[in-house]
Each structure stands twice: as structure tokens, then as C-alpha cells.
Amino acid sequence: MNRIKPSLSLLLAASFALPLLGAAPVAKAETYEECVKRVESFKQRRRAGKQLEQRLADVECAALRQTPAAVDGTAPDGGTSSTVIAPLVTPDLPNAAAAARAVPRKISPVPRPQVSQFKDPVPVPDRWRIVDSLGYQENLLDPYNRNILKGDKPLHDDWFFAATLISDTVLEPRRSVTPVGASSSGSAGATDIFGSSDQMVFSQTILAELVYYKGDTTFRPPDYEFRFTPAINYNRVELDEIQGINADPAEGDTRSDDHVGIQAAFADVHLRNVGTRYDFDSIRVGIQPFTADFRGFLFNDSPFGVRLFGNRENNVFQYNLAWFRRMEKDTNSGLNDVSEDLRDDDIYVANLYWQDLGVLGFTSQFTVLYNRNRETDIQYDNNDFIVRPSSFGEERPKEYDVTYLGYSGDGHIGWLNLSTSLYYAVGTEDPAPFYGDETDISALFAAAEAGIDQDWVRWRVSALYASGDEDPYDDVSQGFDAIIENPLFAGADTSYWIRQNVPLVGGGRVALSGRNGVLNSLRSSKEQGQSNFTNPGTQLLGVGADFDVLPQLRLSFNVNQLWFDDTAVLEVARNQGGIDTDIGVDASVAAIWRPWMHQNVVCRLSYAQLIPGEGYQDLYLDDASPYSLLANLILTY
């Protein structure tokens, strides 16, 4: 008869239990405290031994209750057991050593569970409906707690809805160059080009973003997304001059206007996943926002288009392949005007974002953008001023083809925060404003902003260069111009020069620099005009600092020195020689207050002043320094 060896675990348990059950002899005299410790230690070891014995007995009895022993090695159902387990029967053994010496007995294994033993499965609700079953209360007015209007749970199945409402209120008293028609100024000493420069602007915009999408987007893009973003604007402008707000002098010096635009209306379809971590390809069709680079230097708009986009290698690479056609804008609000036909102005974009290229924490972007413009018709804006072609040079309709080759970078290199952009524009425009025939475009743009964080302060240095045309009468156009810029740079719209529209020619409404733009492009309008590559260019060098004084309060300071790159075009356009390149010093300060430390309520107050340089004084004979006081309240739900 074969003798079955005791299990290894039982032998080990017994070997540990034996020394615990006996008391060690006292080898030397001990103090009372030592004796108490030794006795307590002995009691603990004795209790541990008893607990071990009881645990071994409980395990064996439980096995015997589940499956009766079969001495002959057969299973309870009559079959032969392929595995024999040998538990111990130790009814009243005094210690674990006796258990180790006990003769084992064979039993058959526990039978495999059968399907018939289980009841029908019970469905378990998803994580959103589990919360519903707990009686959690919702508040549709609270965007921070569970709210079906903010996409916190599905409307049905796995379809979600998210709504955002934004109110943007602007009040801006300012002193800025005011163009007037010939001999229309009523101000003593004013020329027939520019008059009194005091202005008051009020603007109120309500924007709603409505998104209906399918899929849990915590770790992956939505399967389908439908987005609709209407915007309503009311604006009022008060001037001291007639013909400053409308070509018709009967309109007076005050204008009130309103407009309803659509800033987004698109469908987004998730085509496929290309990896286990949701690298993907998607396509988006319709009116959609798009920015060609990190800071909005080249193309920042909401056009109609088709965009294929996605990522690869764990989101290390992101790409865009897109075609856009620009939409007409409302003159006074800058919103899309869907009542007008699409412009004959096409943009083709291919770009690639590459994270951590060469340096951890720094993302590089490579861009190829082609702009094809065939707008040879004559177009007037809502204020009856001509915008295409621009009233500049020969004032002839033109078309152009220009390709932008660009590199941009954004992130940090160690302790240095850095954002850069570099573009080279090449192509043709026909005709050029002063040459009267086709010219070759060859223009350069470069910008960089570096920052250093020091506790609650960020120090910034900004530099920008946009090439100017040194000879408007030759066959090369060297002035750099964007498609539609909106730069977040050097103080952005708190800067006077970036925020304000600075006219160059009165009756024709040609602007030296457009609103929310830094380039001296000599266009009729940034929103409705055409790009112009015969311009004086721009140079900027600035310093600034952001102070997070409180979690709710940030103070920002910016000082920018501005120059023209080359004034040859200005001298021809104004028939005026000896214009200096020094535009002046643009100084601004801004306070941003978030009373509840989030973005739902943001109050901003800024003041900017241009200290004119010799070049500005050569163009505008106004001794008063231009300024802008901006009060802005943004409410978001």
C-alpha cells in the first residue's frame, strides 16, 4: 500500500508551530520588567500556535464537508478521479506536530460547476445610471456639478449633449486716428484726411456653442459630433466726425448696428482607430474654426471647409489635411455673414505637429499652406466703403497665388518657455498696386516670445520681424502679409497697435494696421480685404511680465517698440518723402480678475497708450497721444 506524503504546507506549518508551543528556559537572573515581557511574549506565541492548529482543522473539515472521501480513488459520480488530494483528519490532536505525523487519507476533487447551477445574468447599469439610482439631484444652472446640459450623462444610449453660453461685453473709450472725407471735418485745424480722434465703442456679443455627440470621450475621440455655434452682436460707435462711420455723410457721427452670425456648423465623423491607445483618423465638414499656428500669426478664422485630421504613435504626431473657402464677414462685428456667397478665396493646408522633437516638452509644427485668390469683382462693405479692390495704388482688381512654408514651435526647453514662428511666402500677385503687372512674391516673417517663470511671476521678451517692400515699382513684392491674423503675442489685444485699426488714407479707408493685427499690411480690411504684399513691413521688440498677485488676480505689463521695416511704400502712397521708420512705444497694463478662481466670470480692465515716434508723427499731425481704455466682462456657462 502506497504511503502518501504529508503536504509541504502542513509540514512547514508544523515546523514553525513546534518551537512556539514550548517555553524557553531562563538562562540568567532577570528583572521584574524583563520577566513580564518574557511571559507576555510566551503567551503571544502560545496563542499563535493554537490559532494555527484551529485554522488547519477548519480547512480540513471544510474540504470533507464539500466532498466525501473516496478510499478507492473514485469520484462521487462514479468516475475515476485524476487528481487525489490528501487532507488530514485531526479531530483532537494536541498540537501541530501531531498533525504532521497523521496518516493522510485520499479524497476526490471538488466537481466542476455546471451551467445549470447558475441563474440568468442580471444587467448592471452604466456608471451614469448607477448615480441616478442613488438619488443624486441635478441642477441645470450649475455647470460644475452633474448636469445633463454639460455632457455629464447621456441623453439616450451613448449620445451626449453639451451646451456653452458666453456673454462678451466691451466698453472702450479711445483716442485713435479718425479718417474723414474730403473737406468734411468740422474741427478747427483738422485736415481733410483725418479729424478729431476721440471715439467711444460699445459691443455686446452672445455666443452659444451646442454640441451633440456619440461616444464616451474620456479616452477616445467621439464617434460622431455635430456642433452649431450661433453668435449675436450689438455694437454702437460714437465719433466726433461725419463720414468716419459711413461713406454717406447723412449717417452722422453715431452708428448702431446688430448682426447674427454662425461661427461653427459642422459634422465630425470618426473614421477609424489605428492603435490600442486610440490613435485615430477623423473628418470634419462645414463651418469650423481653424488656426494655422500656435499664436494665430497666419490664418485664424472660422471658414467653410473639409478637414481630415488625426494622430499617430500615442499622440506624438498630429496632422491636418484641409481645404477651406473663406466666408464674407459682417463689417462692424467681424462675424461670419451667411447671407452672402462664399468668397473666391481658397486655402489648402497640410501641417504636422511633432511632440518632443529633439527636446522634451517642446512641440514642433511644420506647415505648407497655399492661398489661391480670384476675387476680381468689386465689393463694398456695410458702411459703403470699397474693400475689394483696395483703394491703394492703381485701385485695380487683382488675384494672387501664394504658398507659405512655415515652422512653429511651442513649449519649454528646460526652464525656458518658448514660442516661435517662421514663414517664407512665395508666389505671384497680378497686378501689384504700383507696378501695374504681375510680380513675384518673396517675403519673410519671424516671431518669438520667450518667458521665464519665477514663482508667481512670468517675465517675457517678444520679437517680431515682417519684411517690407523696398521698391514698390519693381517686379518683386517683398512685404509679408497674412491671410487673416489674430495674434496672441506681445500683450495681444491689450496692446494699442495690435487692437486698434490705424488708417493710412482717409477717404479710401486703407489701414496701416488692422484691428486685432500686428502687421502693417496696408489693407482695406483684415476681414473683407485681400492680402497685400506691397507694404512697409513691421519690426517689434518688447518686454512684459505677468504677476499672479492672487489666485483671482493677474496683472500684466507690456512695453513694445515698433518700427517700419522700410518706408518706401508709405512715401509713394502718401506722396510724402522722408518718413522715418520709428512708429513709437506701445505701453499697456492690464488687470484680469476672476472672483471665483475659474473662467466662468472674467473681468478685464486694460489701458494702452502709444507714445508716437518720428515715423508716426510724419504720417499723422496729431499732437495728442493715442490711447485705449478697455473694460471687458466675460460670463461663461
Side-chain angles (χ1 to χ4, degrees):
M1 180 177 180
N2 293 334
R3 185 181 184 88
I4 300 176
K5 296 181 181 180
S7 65
L8 178 61
S9 61
L10 188 60
L11 290 174
L12 290 175
S15 65
F16 279 107
L18 286 173
L20 294 177
L21 299 179
V26 180
K28 63 178 181 178
E30 57 186 353
T31 63
Y32 175 77
E33 291 78 7
E34 292 174 339
C35 179
V36 170
K37 292 181 180 180
R38 181 174 56 80
V39 172
E40 183 62 30
S41 176
F42 169 74
K43 289 180 179 180
Q44 291 177 355
R45 292 196 301 272
R46 189 176 184 86
R47 282 195 296 270
K50 289 182 177 181
Q51 291 173 357
L52 178 61
E53 285 188 62
Q54 186 61 43
R55 190 172 303 169
L56 293 172
D58 290 343
V59 170
E60 181 179 3
C61 292
L64 291 174
R65 282 196 300 270
Q66 293 177 5
T67 306
V71 177
D72 58 355
T74 60
D77 58 1
T80 302
S81 173
S82 59
T83 304
V84 177
I85 301 177
L88 298 176
V89 181
T90 56
D92 291 311
L93 294 179
N95 51 44
R101 293 191 298 271
V103 178
R105 136 180 216 206
K106 297 186 294 182
I107 64 172
S108 60
V110 177
R112 180 176 298 175
Q114 303 299 314
V115 175
S116 59
Q117 295 178 259
F118 295 94
K119 297 181 179 179
D120 293 335
V122 178
V124 178
D126 57 40
R127 55 193 174 100
W128 301 285
R129 294 171 180 85
I130 287 177
V131 175
D132 286 339
S133 67
L134 298 177
Y136 189 89
Q137 298 298 316
E138 295 185 17
N139 184 350
L140 298 182
L141 299 178
D142 183 358
Y144 280 95
N145 285 301
R146 194 165 180 263
N147 189 333
I148 195 171
L149 297 181
K150 304 301 289 184
D152 293 334
K153 74 171 186 177
L155 285 178
H156 59 89
D157 300 326
D158 58 348
W159 284 88
F160 295 79
F161 176 76
T164 300
L165 296 176
I166 300 175
S167 170
D168 189 348
T169 307
V170 172
L171 180 64
E172 185 178 15
R174 66 194 184 194
R175 182 182 294 136
S176 183
V177 177
T178 303
V180 296
S183 303
S184 65
S185 175
S187 302
T191 68
D192 61 357
I193 299 177
F194 304 107
S196 175
S197 56
D198 291 331
Q199 304 176 7
M200 174 68 76
V201 177
F202 172 79
S203 177
Q204 172 65 58
T205 302
I206 302 293
L207 184 144
E209 187 174 60
L210 311 175
V211 187
Y212 181 55
Y213 60 96
K214 181 181 187 295
D216 180 4
T217 60
T218 304
F219 299 106
R220 62 187 180 90
D223 298 321
Y224 301 96
E225 179 182 343
F226 302 92
R227 188 179 297 259
F228 180 61
T229 307
I232 304 172
N233 175 266
Y234 170 81
N235 58 83
R236 178 180 174 85
V237 179
E238 298 178 3
L239 307 180
D240 287 343
E241 300 289 350
I242 61 173
Q243 288 192 300
I245 58 172
N246 197 288
D248 184 357
E251 295 292 329
D253 58 6
T254 301
R255 181 191 66 225
S256 295
D257 191 24
D258 56 78
H259 181 72
V260 178
I262 297 177
Q263 300 306 102
F266 65 77
D268 187 323
V269 179
H270 181 69
L271 299 177
R272 62 172 182 162
N273 293 321
V274 292
T276 58
R277 298 194 178 182
Y278 295 114
D279 289 335
F280 69 94
D281 294 314
S282 290
I283 191 168
R284 180 174 294 177
V285 181
I287 303 172
Q288 52 190 287
F290 185 80
T291 303
D293 52 64
F294 296 108
R295 295 299 186 99
F297 289 120
L298 181 62
F299 180 52
N300 186 356
D301 196 12
S302 295
F304 175 85
V306 179
R307 175 181 164 217
L308 177 68
F309 63 99
N311 59 0
R312 291 294 186 275
E313 297 296 329
N314 252 356
N315 204 36
V316 171
F317 301 99
Q318 300 114 44
Y319 73 90
N320 287 283
L321 296 172
W323 162 79
F324 298 109
R325 174 157 284 201
R326 294 183 63 189
M327 302 181 65
E328 288 287 2
K329 302 289 185 181
D330 175 66
T331 304
N332 300 319
S333 68
L335 300 176
N336 285 341
D337 189 349
V338 295
S339 66
E340 298 285 343
D341 294 335
L342 296 176
R343 297 176 58 174
D344 196 359
D345 192 9
D346 297 308
I347 295 99
Y348 300 86
V349 184
N351 64 20
L352 175 70
Y353 296 84
W354 189 338
Q355 295 190 46
D356 303 326
L357 176 60
V359 181
L360 291 176
F362 192 77
T363 300
S364 294
Q365 178 200 10
F366 303 91
T367 300
V368 178
L369 187 150
Y370 168 57
N371 184 198
R372 172 191 175 276
N373 185 282
R374 296 295 183 269
E375 295 178 299
T376 57
D377 57 338
I378 297 177
Q379 181 75 21
Y380 291 85
D381 66 17
N382 297 0
N383 301 325
D384 298 326
F385 296 110
I386 189 170
V387 289
R388 296 195 299 269
S390 176
S391 183
F392 177 65
E394 296 185 1
E395 196 175 319
R396 292 169 55 188
K398 72 171 183 177
E399 58 186 41
Y400 51 87
D401 295 89
V402 57
T403 299
Y404 297 88
L405 306 175
Y407 168 83
S408 297
D410 191 76
H412 66 90
I413 302 176
W415 49 266
L416 179 67
N417 302 301
L418 183 62
S419 183
T420 64
S421 282
L422 177 66
Y423 286 107
Y424 177 64
V426 58
T428 59
E429 64 174 339
D430 184 19
F434 297 99
Y435 184 67
D437 202 350
E438 180 178 290
T439 62
D440 294 326
I441 298 171
S442 179
L444 183 66
F445 173 88
E449 187 167 89
I452 300 174
D453 293 326
Q454 186 179 25
D455 199 359
W456 50 277
V457 181
R458 169 169 287 191
W459 306 98
R460 290 179 284 105
V461 176
S462 307
L464 179 144
Y465 172 79
S467 62
D469 193 351
E470 62 184 19
D471 184 358
Y473 293 114
D474 65 8
D475 61 353
V476 180
S477 298
Q478 299 170 301
F480 183 89
D481 196 7
I483 301 171
I484 178 168
E485 58 169 331
N486 190 7
L488 297 174
F489 181 77
D493 62 353
T494 61
S495 159
Y496 179 88
W497 197 259
I498 292 177
R499 180 170 181 80
Q500 301 304 327
N501 184 80
V502 183
L504 176 68
V505 179
R509 293 303 187 274
V510 174
L512 181 60
S513 174
R515 63 182 176 185
N516 296 326
V518 69
L519 300 176
N520 299 317
S521 54
L522 305 187
R523 295 167 69 160
S524 59
S525 165
K526 184 184 76 172
E527 294 86 3
Q528 296 179 276
Q530 295 173 288
S531 297
N532 173 38
F533 301 94
T534 304
N535 65 63
T538 310
Q539 296 181 22
L540 180 149
L541 184 61
V543 294
D546 300 325
F547 297 86
D548 290 327
V549 181
L550 298 170
Q552 305 95 325
L553 180 63
R554 169 176 290 181
L555 298 179
S556 295
F557 300 87
N558 291 278
V559 178
N560 301 322
Q561 172 66 56
L562 292 150
W563 299 271
F564 298 115
D565 183 51
D566 196 302
T567 60
V569 175
L570 296 176
E571 293 174 356
V572 171
R574 290 287 291 268
N575 193 23
Q576 176 182 348
I579 298 177
D580 196 83
T581 59
D582 182 12
I583 298 173
V585 176
D586 182 355
S588 62
V589 57
I592 300 174
W593 181 48
R594 302 177 305 150
W596 291 284
M597 292 183 287
H598 53 59
Q599 296 300 112
N600 290 74
V601 179
V602 179
C603 307
R604 184 170 56 141
L605 183 67
S606 67
Y607 177 82
Q609 182 161 348
L610 180 69
I611 304 171
E614 292 185 14
Y616 184 92
Q617 292 175 343
D618 291 338
L619 292 172
Y620 311 104
L621 303 178
D622 188 0
D623 295 333
S625 296
Y627 75 87
S628 171
L629 177 63
L630 173 68
N632 182 210
L633 173 64
I634 300 177
L635 306 177
T636 304
Y637 167 79

